[in-house]
Amino acid sequence: MHLVHLLVLIFLAEAAVAQHDAVCQTQPVKVVEGDDVTLRCRLRPSFDVTGYTVDWTRVELHQVVHLYRHRKDDTGPQMEQYRTRTELSHQNLSRGVLDLHISSLHLSDAGEYRCNVPRLSASCTQTVTVGKRDEDGTSTTKAPPIKTTKPHTPGVSAGEPVQVPVVICVSIAAAVVLTLVTCGSVRHCSERLRRRKEMLNRNWWFYHLIHRFY
């Protein structure tokens, strides 16, 4: 009878354990190289995993970033690039908080990370992107340059000087030549105009008489 009770208790315990899920941040975590980052992972509902194995791994590399088991950190299987750079708060494990802190990020730290509690079959993943830092300490991400536009003259391509049409120049030159040919010279034309004016002055009375008659 005691054996049956023991088996029932074990079954109920395993059933309770299987109901916990791991919850990670869904949006990618964006950081700049050299900065620190904390990857969030919580059990829902809260559960004490102090005596459980908790591991963080790089999904695409299939390697361990941080491993906690037997109530302490195990650096044996840990990737070399993460040694002395990761921290898992043991005190928070009693509340089901599995946050992992990584210091001084490198460009090679960009990737997908998995938080996992094998005994609970609870895991979740989140993505980390690492941007390159300039020499002045700022990120390389820059806004596109602002383009300025110059006033555009209809019929003229932008950036080309405005030119007088050749047809206008030819027309002006032809008019000057025709005038010179017709009049002979500017002085001769002026003389002819002066004579016509004198003729009109002498016969003004004739034009006046005609005007009154009509």
Side-chain angles (χ1 to χ4, degrees):
M1 190 67 179
H2 293 288
L3 181 60
V4 174
H5 289 167
L6 181 60
L7 293 175
V8 171
L9 290 176
I10 294 175
F11 175 78
L12 293 175
E14 292 295 334
V17 166
Q19 294 177 357
H20 293 275
D21 295 324
V23 180
C24 293
Q25 180 176 332
T26 56
Q27 297 297 326
V29 180
K30 299 180 180 180
V31 293
V32 179
E33 63 175 335
D35 289 348
D36 298 347
V37 68
T38 299
L39 306 182
R40 306 294 181 181
C41 180
R42 310 292 174 90
L43 290 179
R44 186 176 56 187
S46 178
F47 187 77
D48 184 2
V49 292
T50 304
Y52 289 64
T53 297
V54 177
D55 63 75
W56 281 85
T57 58
R58 282 285 296 272
V59 177
E60 70 278 14
L61 301 178
H62 305 287
Q63 296 190 47
V64 176
V65 175
H66 189 97
L67 177 62
Y68 169 87
R69 61 183 174 184
H70 307 310
R71 298 181 179 270
K72 64 180 181 180
D73 296 325
D74 186 354
T75 59
Q78 187 179 34
M79 292 178 63
E80 186 64 31
Q81 74 179 71
Y82 291 102
R83 292 186 184 275
T84 71
R85 295 176 50 224
T86 61
E87 181 181 358
L88 185 70
S89 175
H90 297 180
Q91 296 178 350
N92 291 335
L93 295 177
S94 61
R95 299 184 291 110
V97 178
L98 316 177
D99 297 351
L100 179 67
H101 183 79
I102 306 176
S103 60
S104 302
L105 265 75
H106 308 151
L107 293 177
S108 59
D109 292 333
E112 189 174 11
Y113 291 75
R114 182 186 302 277
C115 171
N116 181 43
V117 183
R119 186 173 174 182
L120 301 180
S121 299
S123 64
C124 60
T125 60
Q126 59 184 286
T127 302
V128 175
T129 61
V130 183
K132 188 176 181 180
R133 187 185 296 274
D134 290 337
E135 294 181 358
D136 58 358
T138 60
S139 174
T140 54
T141 303
K142 299 179 181 179
I146 300 176
K147 296 182 179 180
T148 57
T149 57
K150 298 181 179 180
H152 179 62
T153 304
V156 180
S157 301
E160 295 182 358
V162 179
Q163 299 180 351
V164 179
V166 178
V167 177
I168 296 178
C169 295
V170 173
S171 299
I172 294 175
V176 173
V177 173
L178 181 61
T179 302
L180 293 177
V181 171
T182 304
C183 298
S185 66
V186 176
R187 183 177 179 181
H188 181 64
C189 290
S190 300
E191 183 66 23
R192 291 180 60 183
L193 291 174
R194 186 182 63 79
R195 291 178 182 177
R196 289 185 180 180
K197 183 177 181 180
E198 291 177 354
M199 183 180 297
L200 291 175
N201 290 335
R202 288 195 299 267
N203 299 314
W204 68 269
W205 58 270
F206 177 75
Y207 292 103
H208 181 69
L209 179 61
I210 293 177
H211 176 72
R212 293 186 59 182
F213 179 79
Y214 287 99

